[in-house]
Amino acid sequence: METAWMDKIERVVISADEIARRVRDLGREIAADYRGGAGRDPRRRPLLVVGILKGAMPFMADLIRALDLAIEYDFMAVSSYGNGTSPGEVRILKDLDCAIGGRDVLLVEDIVDTGHTLHHLLAGLSARGPATLRVCTLLDKPHRREVEVTVDYVGFVLPENLFVVGYGLDYAEVYRNLPFVAILKPECIRDG
Ligand code: PRP
């Protein structure tokens, strides 16, 4: 592939085809879980899929189109303070537009790393009384976890401590639009 950023890429870790296949499978699995089975009241409002900006955007866009299911969607934006005194404390920059009491809610993330972001989000959203609250992430780095969080649907587990970009994941806000997940060449990553 000849594109302007290819010379910055060390290696593609997950190809666009692999992502597409996994997203299709996740879509089938999630739709089956919410499609009125398991005692779900058919009068309940549609599943609310919530993307966590900015990283989740490409994954979310593909995932919702893989759901053969009536859904609504919304976004939240959060920022992590990430300092020593309050590790991973999360500030909500954009909240949901609607109440979620009694609703089925599925959070969509691009990556779960230490777990702090998700932990804070889940605590805050649980307090609003959703009927169910689940999490789907494209990537999981379980070996990096600092707080325990339940992730219900995982696209790919990253086997090593890789710093990856693409398909929503950035380095200094760039590379989010790569159609695959990749590692940058070391000379493209500045310390600090
Ligand atoms: C990333 C990712 C998660 C969070 C995971 O967001 O989208 O929200 O980090 O990290 P954690 O498990 O260690 O808390 P980031 O803060 O990079 O923002 P972005 O999505 O806008 O890139």
Side-chain angles (χ1 to χ4, degrees), residues 106-128:
L106 177 68
L107 294 190
V108 177
E109 269 285 22
D110 54 342
I111 189 163
V112 182
D113 189 356
T114 64
H116 286 294
T117 305
L118 202 50
H119 177 76
H120 281 263
L121 274 169
L122 288 173
L125 292 175
S126 302
R128 303 180 191 183

